[in-house]
Amino acid sequence: MQSYQIDIQGTVQGVGFRPFVYALAMRFGVYGEVWNDSKGVSIRLDTTIELLKDFIAQIESQKPPLAHIDAIDFYTIEPQNYAKFSIIQSQMQNDTFALMPPDVAICDACEAELFESSNRRYGYPFITCTHCGVRYTIIKQLPYDRANTSMGAFAMCTTCHEEYTNPLNRRYHAQPIGCFECGPTLELRDKSEALSLAQSQIIDRVAHIIQEGKIVAIKGVGGYHLVCDASNHEAVQTLRKRKNRPHKPLAIMVRDTQMAKQIAHISPQEEKLLTSKERPIVLLHKLNTQHLTLSTLVAPDVDTIGIFLPYTPLHLLLLKALNRPIVATSANVSDEPLARNFEEVMKLSDIWDYCLDHDREIVNGCDDSVVMIVQESVLFVRRARGYAPQAITLPFRLSQKVLALGANQKSTIAIAFENKAILSPHIGDLHTIDSIAYYRQHIEHLRQIYNFQEDRVVHDKHPHYESTKYAKTLNAEHLTLSTIQHHVAHIQAVRLEYGIRDKVLGIAFDGTGYGDDGNMWGGEFIVCDDNSYERVAHLDYFKLLGGEKAIKEPRRVALSLLFECYGVKALDMDNPTTRAFSSSELRLYYRMWYNGLNAPLTSSMGRLFDGVASLSGIIQTLSYEGQSGAMMERYYDSTIQSCYLWNVKDGKIDSKPMIKMMPTQPNPTVMISKFFNTLVNIVEQIAMCYPYPVVLGGGVFQNRVLVELLLHKMGKRVLLPQKLPPNDGAIALGQIMQGYRV
Ligand code: ZN
Ligand code: ZN
Ligand code: FE
């Protein structure tokens, strides 16, 4: 008999790993101990080498559902002579490497108990076990023990404590457990006070209120939702008006996949995603004839609808009581971080009539994830609950600890050490004091959770990004600050995701990013490897009339393009773009264009989409980001195969021949279809000149039609991010590269 130690790294804490090892040791009849440490889980056993190898094989094949093993090592130690097998106290050193599992949906066993009238947690809205429920959103610091989470505030009752301390129970060391007697409780309030209701009455009352057409703010896992009856036209209209969100599609939550199938087409792959433990919002094609009446205001002017299934016991109970789809949209001011506590949700009290609150504190905010399936590839729109934080193994080792600050919109942050990077969930846009404060707080939390102190900080080149300003506040004496160009970061993120070390041809089709020459880039072809990059081609510059303002007004972009093609003659043209201005406005913008005053140069593909949307007459002013691209999807006709002419000279892609042809064929279907075909043609032609893998990054690659066409035409030659969103949510990961390069 020998003594051995086994060290396991990966997502092994807070997932029922120690009780699993305990039960395994019982089965093997071996003695020893198991504990959590700062790098993961360690085990000591008195056994033979044959049994040890068997034991390790069982760990690998039988591990708990939420566990993920990155590495297992074993070695001989001094003889221990154990008299039993036990789970011992966590042992922490300075460096914290253990990984935190994300929050996942309620498991089947808990769901069964929730609806089992004889169960002591029957109808308990916070039922959970080791294999399901909240994790990241309640943790203050590692190790993941109850005292380090917001559940530390709830003392367990005797029965819960018995479950918690029995290694053979499904709730052994399940940190968030509780029951009616000891756990978190619900509270229903109107704007002034809490209604006096028994716990058992609250869900039914909320269902009733929603049926009456009211708007309810509901506290969930990582923040609040604003909820109303999705079939009630007036309620949806009121929500849109109060939230000042006239058109942007709203996500709906439905009881189950059966209900979802009455609203949208669902492939087996999409169904798997809908019911996965991550339970994201899945963007699905609407049915032509829906068998369930939804308000047309839920997702107007687009072909798709975002649907998700209940992922907490609270949502399950509510949807069962309602038996109809609800709008469930993040409680925030557009694209800003969502409300996480009562104080924050009170700031939105003009929007809601009632608030369903609870007393389990949300430590780390986390929005719903949004994904779609395109040609059997998973495409993230927003990576948050269920997926984040998730560690990404880097294809190299860092000599320094790196903090990457992301961009300014769809902000995320990343920390990296050794060969691991941890990407935060989607934080949101950094346009207000509150959102900036939240962003900074999130950095602080990540540092605290992972006991992390950076040696190097990487930020975007843009001098006015809030992330850049934050970098400048850090103590430069102990830190190295470095910058990376926005689109290079987009490409590097995808290289890191795929673990590519060789050269790639990166294509960044994006809204905007600060370029090396100070212009706004966004239609870029960049050849890059670990150490260098070269911008080999880009969309030829055009002027953004009125700068930032042009981002919301496709008509300004289109007008600028017409001026590029026709100069002053454009003033006399008659097309949807010119019709969107008065004649004095036209003259004003011509002067602006001619003099180049308040008209910065851009090579942005996102803006070119806007311009084409305006010329085709489908939209002139946007009410949400990405609206023109989303609307253009429904005009694409795959029977139209032709494309427009274009030129490339000295690395500049000239769109003028295309723009000139557009007003001659004013049918939006023809125009938009040919435009998409042209883009694919450009990508194919340029890609032919380089013998490298083609890597796609940037927000424009969230356009379903464009991605479908590219995957269809170019197949495996193009690599699209699968674990990260193509948009600025991936920038922080790409920035890590700068920490390696220098
Ligand atoms: Zn469970
Ligand atoms: Zn209890
Ligand atoms: Fe970007």
Side-chain angles (χ1 to χ4, degrees):
M1 187 96 80
Q2 270 276 9
S3 293
Y4 296 95
Q5 178 157 336
I6 309 171
D7 295 331
I8 306 167
Q9 287 185 40
T11 308
V12 290
Q13 293 188 9
V15 294
F17 212 91
R18 289 170 305 160
F20 155 73
V21 171
Y22 179 89
L24 198 62
M26 296 291 121
R27 222 159 20 93
F28 272 70
V30 290
Y31 292 164
E33 55 195 15
V34 59
W35 69 95
N36 279 343
D37 62 22
S38 45
K39 296 198 173 188
V41 164
S42 291
I43 306 164
R44 286 183 167 186
L45 290 178
D46 290 340
T47 186
T48 62
I49 185 73
E50 289 77 23
L51 264 181
L52 178 84
K53 284 185 173 163
D54 247 14
F55 195 86
I56 291 174
Q58 290 287 313
I59 289 178
E60 284 173 325
S61 64
Q62 306 288 319
K63 64 179 186 319
L66 299 183
H68 181 85
I69 296 174
D70 287 334
I72 299 188
D73 293 322
F74 70 89
Y75 42 91
T76 325
I77 50 168
E78 294 282 293
Q80 301 286 317
N81 294 318
Y82 291 107
K84 59 179 179 148
F85 191 90
S86 42
I87 297 176
I88 60 166
Q89 198 64 39
S90 301
Q91 296 176 10
M92 292 297 146
Q93 291 114 34
N94 280 336
D95 282 352
T96 301
F97 289 93
L99 304 171
M100 196 47 221
D103 308 80
V104 295
I106 181 172
C107 71
D108 291 345
C110 284
E111 184 173 340
E113 288 177 357
L114 180 68
F115 294 114
E116 168 61 61
S117 59
S118 62
N119 192 281
R120 71 184 193 93
R121 292 192 181 88
Y122 172 60
Y124 181 59
F126 303 95
I127 187 169
T128 186
C129 74
T130 313
H131 307 305
C132 73
V134 289
R135 293 284 189 282
Y136 171 69
T137 52
I138 60 164
I139 192 168
K140 293 172 182 165
Q141 64 183 68
L142 288 174
Y144 179 63
D145 284 336
R146 190 164 169 120
N148 287 338
T149 72
S150 51
M151 284 304 291
F154 300 90
M156 275 179 270
C157 69
T158 330
T159 323
C160 283
H161 193 257
E162 271 166 22
E163 294 172 317
Y164 184 84
T165 46
N166 175 3
L168 300 174
N169 192 288
R170 198 173 94 243
R171 297 197 164 86
Y172 176 78
H173 278 225
Q175 311 305 350
I177 65 161
C179 68
F180 281 113
E181 214 179 295
C182 67
T185 50
L186 294 176
E187 187 171 76
L188 180 60
R189 349 180 30 132
D190 60 21
K191 288 179 197 188
S192 48
E193 58 186 4
L195 310 189
S196 87
L197 289 165
Q199 287 294 303
S200 58
Q201 298 173 311
I202 291 181
I203 299 276
D204 282 340
R205 177 64 80 84
V206 173
H208 184 74
I209 288 170
I210 291 170
Q211 270 165 355
E212 278 185 332
K214 297 276 190 280
I215 295 161
V216 185
I218 299 179
K219 188 174 182 182
V221 165
Y224 289 74
H225 283 127
L226 294 165
V227 168
C228 74
D229 180 352
S231 57
N232 186 328
H233 199 68
E234 238 170 87
V236 182
Q237 195 166 32
T238 309
L239 175 60
R240 283 201 175 281
K241 221 163 102 196
R242 292 186 191 165
K243 210 185 168 195
N244 190 21
R245 180 165 157 164
H247 309 108
K248 191 177 178 185
L250 298 163
I252 58 168
M253 187 185 273
V254 299
R255 195 193 57 213
D256 48 28
T257 43
Q258 226 182 326
M259 196 180 260
K261 282 176 180 169
Q262 295 182 291
I263 299 166
H265 290 281
I266 299 173
S267 70
Q269 200 186 356
E270 288 164 337
E271 180 164 350
K272 231 174 121 186
L273 205 49
L274 272 175
T275 55
S276 66
K277 63 182 192 304
E278 291 84 7
R279 272 312 132 105
I281 296 172
V282 184
L283 296 181
L284 300 160
H285 276 289
K286 289 183 206 164
L287 291 175
N288 288 336
T289 353
Q290 291 173 354
H291 308 292
L292 230 167
T293 332
L294 284 188
S295 162
T296 49
L297 291 176
V298 170
D301 306 322
V302 290
D303 272 344
T304 53
I305 185 160
I307 298 184
F308 59 148
L309 299 185
Y311 51 89
T312 69
L314 175 62
H315 295 131
L316 273 173
L317 292 167
L318 181 64
L319 266 294
K320 185 163 182 269
L322 270 166
N323 201 23
R324 65 177 80 186
I326 52 173
V327 166
T329 184
S330 311
N332 59 0
V333 180
S334 64
D335 300 319
E336 279 181 25
L338 69 173
R340 286 154 300 143
N341 54 46
F342 188 68
E343 192 191 333
E344 287 170 357
V345 83
M346 266 314 276
K347 289 185 191 162
L348 304 170
S349 64
D350 289 346
I351 306 177
W352 50 264
D353 303 299
Y354 291 89
C355 177
L356 177 55
D357 207 12
H358 63 69
D359 53 359
R360 187 180 65 206
E361 182 199 350
I362 297 171
V363 179
N364 303 297
C366 198
D367 226 317
D368 295 314
S369 293
V370 184
V371 295
M372 57 179 154
I373 302 284
V374 183
Q375 297 262 335
E376 288 168 20
S377 296
V378 179
L379 198 61
F380 274 90
V381 176
R382 185 160 72 205
R383 184 180 168 283
R385 179 183 48 77
Y387 300 96
Q390 206 175 47
I392 290 150
T393 305
L394 302 171
F396 46 74
R397 265 181 191 278
L398 292 163
S399 55
Q400 290 179 307
K401 292 183 174 183
V402 182
L403 167 68
L405 295 172
N408 212 52
Q409 276 183 300
K410 299 173 190 67
S411 189
T412 57
I413 41 184
I415 57 174
F417 40 87
E418 299 191 354
N419 68 338
K420 292 254 178 313
I422 292 162
L423 185 63
S424 79
H426 167 92
I427 293 173
D429 294 355
L430 306 181
H431 295 316
T432 60
I433 294 170
D434 284 353
S435 60
I436 296 159
Y438 176 63
Y439 168 80
R440 293 179 172 207
Q441 195 189 343
H442 216 104
I443 296 172
E444 224 25 81
H445 275 169
L446 267 194
R447 283 194 188 117
Q448 200 182 338
I449 292 174
Y450 292 98
N451 193 15
F452 178 86
Q453 196 53 57
E454 65 277 5
D455 310 306
R456 174 179 292 275
V457 173
V458 187
H459 64 89
D460 195 276
K461 244 185 182 162
H462 201 302
H464 304 310
Y465 274 4
E466 290 304 330
S467 45
T468 301
K469 291 182 199 162
Y470 172 74
K472 300 266 152 64
T473 65
L474 297 170
N475 187 349
E477 259 175 58
H478 305 286
L479 281 177
T480 322
L481 291 191
S482 48
T483 63
I484 182 168
Q485 199 278 326
H486 187 92
H487 301 101
V488 174
H490 267 305
I491 303 306
Q492 295 294 14
V494 189
R495 285 183 76 240
L496 287 186
E497 181 188 321
Y498 280 93
I500 301 174
R501 303 302 302 273
D502 297 330
K503 263 196 176 133
V504 301
L505 171 65
I507 304 180
F509 285 176
D510 204 19
T512 40
Y514 192 81
D516 286 333
D517 57 4
N519 294 322
M520 287 303 175
W521 291 10
E524 314 304 316
F525 293 74
I526 298 168
V527 169
C528 73
D529 59 17
D530 283 357
N531 298 303
S532 62
Y533 65 92
E534 186 192 353
R535 185 193 198 199
V536 293
H538 64 91
L539 210 57
D540 202 3
Y541 289 126
F542 53 93
K543 291 171 185 167
L544 276 181
L545 302 176
E548 289 274 297
K549 276 197 180 140
I551 292 172
K552 294 212 162 128
E553 294 184 35
R555 58 179 191 161
R556 290 189 192 226
V557 176
L559 189 63
S560 168
L561 291 167
L562 289 174
F563 290 148
E564 295 286 341
C565 294
Y566 298 104
V568 71
K569 286 194 202 117
L571 294 177
D572 301 322
M573 294 177 86
D574 179 39
N575 56 48
T577 300
T578 55
R579 284 197 288 274
F581 295 98
S582 69
S583 55
S584 62
E585 280 174 329
L586 285 175
R587 284 194 302 276
L588 171 80
Y589 289 124
Y590 179 71
R591 278 198 302 277
M592 197 184 256
W593 176 82
Y594 187 81
N595 298 323
L597 282 177
N598 195 14
L601 293 177
T602 187
S603 56
S604 160
M605 182 56 78
R607 295 295 85 75
L608 187 64
F609 266 74
D610 288 346
V612 173
S614 163
L615 287 167
S616 69
I618 65 168
I619 189 159
Q620 303 299 343
T621 321
L622 305 181
S623 79
Y624 65 92
E625 199 212 349
Q627 190 176 5
S628 49
M631 288 175 72
M632 283 161 80
E633 287 180 8
R634 50 171 358 188
Y635 286 89
Y636 183 74
D637 178 350
S638 59
T639 64
I640 299 171
Q641 301 272 329
S642 55
C643 65
Y644 291 112
L645 292 175
W646 56 280
N647 282 325
V648 56
K649 207 180 153 211
D650 302 329
K652 288 177 191 143
I653 302 158
D654 183 5
S655 60
K656 283 198 285 296
M658 173 173 80
I659 301 296
K660 280 186 174 171
M661 291 299 290
M662 283 183 168
T664 64
Q665 172 53 276
N667 177 328
T669 302
V670 177
M671 200 186 284
I672 288 166
S673 304
K674 284 176 78 174
F675 171 66
F676 276 114
N677 295 340
T678 310
L679 291 186
V680 175
N681 195 257
I682 293 174
V683 170
E684 273 186 306
Q685 295 294 319
I686 295 182
M688 268 200 316
C689 310
Y690 299 91
Y692 313 127
V694 178
V695 156
L696 310 179
V700 173
F701 291 115
Q702 276 169 348
N703 189 287
R704 196 189 278 263
V705 170
L706 179 63
V707 169
E708 241 162 29
L709 287 172
L710 283 172
L711 290 176
H712 180 70
K713 283 271 180 106
M714 301 181 67
K716 292 215 161 64
R717 175 102 204 267
V718 288
L719 300 174
L720 201 71
Q722 299 254 318
K723 292 181 190 153
L724 302 167
N727 64 31
D728 286 4
I731 288 285
L733 186 72
Q735 290 173 337
I736 297 293
M737 198 68 222
Q738 193 70 9
Y740 174 69
R741 187 189 287 154
V742 186

